[in-house]
Amino acid sequence: MNINSSFKLSAIGIKEMLTDFFKNPGEGLYQRTVRSGIWVFSLKIFERALGIVKLVILARILVPNDFGLMGIALLALACLETFSQTGFQQALIQKKRERKNTSM
């Protein structure tokens, strides 16, 4: 068995698996998890594509100097957003602490 035939078999298996996921909704936790992952992935792709379309439209409307200034501002905002995410929300969710009984 060569690599091409094994790739075709795995592609057919993936196609059948995805078809089964959409034909039998809500069968189990695994199927719901995979379906949710597919939705999240497709929404992220759509969001990225929409962002590219917005940039193309703005590039056509703005003069090059203004578009460059906007690009610098967007880069600064992205850097500030990245460094401002300290992980406090994840730590708050994951931290386990003992509960004290305050009733008498």
Side-chain angles (χ1 to χ4, degrees), residues 55 57-71:
L55 282 177
I57 291 171
L58 284 173
R60 296 291 295 164
I61 293 173
L62 298 175
V63 295
N65 289 338
D66 291 340
F67 187 72
L69 184 62
M70 186 196 71

Side-chain angles (χ1 to χ4, degrees), residues 8-66:
K8 288 178 184 177
L9 290 175
S10 65
I12 292 170
I14 291 172
K15 183 178 178 182
E16 290 174 359
M17 184 176 66
L18 287 175
T19 305
D20 184 48
F21 280 136
F22 291 113
K23 283 184 179 178
N24 301 321
E27 291 276 329
L29 180 63
Y30 177 74
Q31 285 186 335
R32 289 186 293 174
T33 304
V34 170
R35 193 176 310 113
S36 299
I38 291 170
W39 274 107
V40 169
F41 178 73
S42 61
L43 287 175
K44 291 282 186 184
I45 295 293
F46 179 73
E47 182 181 346
R48 295 284 175 124
L50 193 62
I52 291 172
V53 169
K54 286 191 315 187
L55 282 177
V56 168
I57 291 171
L58 284 173
R60 296 291 295 164
I61 293 173
L62 298 175
V63 295
N65 289 338
D66 291 340

